[in-house]
Amino acid sequence: MEVKEQVIEAMKKAGKPVSAGEVEKMLGIDRKEIDKAFKELKKEEAIVSPVRCKWEPK
């Protein structure tokens, strides 16, 4: 599974807006990979930020 897909799944399981740090703890994936996935997901408009520094699937 691609990192982006894992990030989206972790966000859905959390059921609330999460930060990159929280996703890192949930998945145990390197923070750089998480940040890269967040950047791509933002560009694709697959995630939204309801509160500062926290994200959730659209």
Side-chain angles (χ1 to χ4, degrees):
M1 186 184 289
E2 217 179 297
V3 175
K4 285 193 312 186
E5 294 167 348
Q6 291 177 314
V7 167
I8 289 285
E9 286 301 310
M11 291 173 127
K12 287 178 182 174
K13 284 181 187 171
K16 63 182 174 96
V18 292
S19 67
E22 291 171 306
V23 174
E24 180 184 23
K25 287 178 187 168
M26 285 188 268
L27 297 176
I29 297 174
D30 185 54
R31 177 65 182 258
K32 289 178 186 171
E33 291 294 316
I34 303 283
D35 288 338
K36 188 173 146 187
F38 266 45
K39 186 177 177 182
E40 290 176 24
L41 289 165
K42 285 183 242 178
K43 195 183 297 181
E44 295 168 8
E45 297 181 3
I47 58 176
V48 293
S49 180
V51 288
R52 188 167 172 248
C53 298
K54 301 237 181 193
W55 297 87
E56 66 184 6
K58 203 167 189 183

